[in-house]
Amino acid sequence: RLGLKVGVLTSVPAGLDLSAALGGMAIHAVASEMATTFENTYHGEKRRQFVHGLASSLHPEHLPAPWKKAPIVLLCPLVGELGLDWLGVFHRSLVGVTPQGWMRQWDEQGLVRQKPWSEAEQILPAVDVLVFSEEDVGGDASIIRQYTRLARIAVVTRGRHGATVFWNGNPRQFPAFRAREVDPTGAGDVFAAAFLVRLRETNDPYLAAPFANCAASFAIEGPGTTTIPTRAQVEERLRQGQYIAESAGL
């Protein structure tokens, strides 16, 4: 919806039709006995998450060869299904990561809890952009400092408090846009994709952050993927500049 062609590599059961959710995208699906399935419940801004199914892992040999030349790549594991073998696959791409799937563990009932990201020191120096939420690390400022120092460009998203960009060692805060929240699930993923799109166009993370905040503000206004915006919608809301005034510094 932002004007680019999109390809998705995933692992799902052979009979699962992804066209409704991923219409208009090129999909390369690796056969799996089950799909990765989450249950999310929200209590205010706090999310309680259960995992009810795990799809098979993904490896570079699953990737169609032409996709290795994609100008933008987002590595976004859900349950640790991407390994270190993905490092160095994309030589000419802008590579971003959303590391939630490397920081999840769960008990016998499937209740998801945070765990340390053991591969951070290997992965982050090898990619271009890190995007993660304050919630992903339980608000731990020491972990935020660790990850943002390892990454060339890092962004910490903070819901209605906007996002903080760390570039050249310096943090800069960008406010969120006003929106009517219906379903916050996936807002961080929309932010990450929009940030990479605009960063590729401008080579400036300070221009990419407001664009991404704006795109994410649309995403929460409806269920699922129904309100992910077009570029024209994002540009119109950017011009209006209706920000949330409150913020809380890291």
Side-chain angles (χ1 to χ4, degrees):
R1 294 191 185 178
L2 296 179
L4 279 72
K5 295 180 179 179
V6 179
V8 177
L9 174 66
T10 187
S11 53
V12 293
L16 183 61
D17 183 7
L18 297 177
S19 59
L22 302 177
M25 302 184 194
I27 303 170
H28 187 79
V30 177
S32 174
E33 290 187 4
M34 63 179 66
T36 297
T37 307
F38 288 103
E39 175 189 352
N40 296 321
T41 58
Y42 291 91
H43 306 275
E45 294 188 359
K46 297 293 184 181
R47 179 171 71 180
R48 196 163 186 252
Q49 185 173 70
F50 291 84
V51 60
H52 296 306
L54 297 176
S56 58
S57 297
L58 294 169
H59 300 284
E61 56 264 30
H62 295 139
L63 189 73
W67 291 18
K68 294 181 181 180
K69 300 179 182 179
I72 301 172
V73 174
L74 178 58
L75 302 176
C76 43
L78 298 176
V79 285
E81 68 275 23
L82 302 181
L84 295 176
D85 52 350
W86 283 97
L87 299 182
V89 171
F90 305 98
H91 299 291
R92 301 179 181 177
S93 309
L94 174 66
V95 180
V97 295
T98 50
Q100 278 185 329
W102 287 311
M103 297 190 287
R104 286 185 170 119
Q105 61 184 342
W106 46 90
D107 60 21
E108 293 180 355
Q109 286 72 46
L111 179 62
V112 175
R113 301 187 186 279
Q114 176 198 346
K115 72 170 183 177
W117 182 13
S118 58
E119 303 94 346
E121 292 190 359
Q122 296 166 275
I123 293 173
L124 288 179
V127 301
D128 300 300
V129 179
L130 165 68
V131 179
F132 67 105
S133 75
E134 199 172 39
E135 182 184 13
D136 290 339
V137 296
D140 190 320
S142 64
I143 297 178
I144 291 173
R145 285 193 297 270
Q146 176 191 354
Y147 292 170
T148 56
R149 286 171 180 169
L150 288 170
R152 183 172 72 87
I153 299 172
V155 187
V156 181
T157 61
R158 300 164 52 238
R160 65 177 288 107
H161 301 299
T164 305
V165 174
F166 294 81
W167 187 30
N168 296 326
N170 300 312
R172 181 170 172 178
Q173 173 70 16
F174 294 86
F177 284 76
R178 295 190 180 276
R180 183 179 62 88
E181 183 176 310
V182 174
D183 179 6
T185 304
D189 302 305
V190 172
F191 179 100
F195 185 91
L196 291 172
V197 168
R198 193 63 177 144
L199 181 62
R200 177 75 182 190
E201 294 170 349
T202 65
N203 201 34
D204 188 338
Y206 295 160
L207 294 177
F211 185 88
N213 268 340
C214 189
S217 74
F218 282 95
I220 69 173
E221 292 185 324
T225 60
T226 59
T227 55
I228 294 176
T230 63
R231 181 177 288 266
Q233 289 175 299
V234 174
E235 290 174 349
E236 175 62 23
R237 185 168 287 185
L238 280 169
R239 286 192 294 268
Q240 293 174 356
Q242 296 181 353
Y243 300 103
I244 296 175
E246 65 175 281
S247 76
L250 290 173

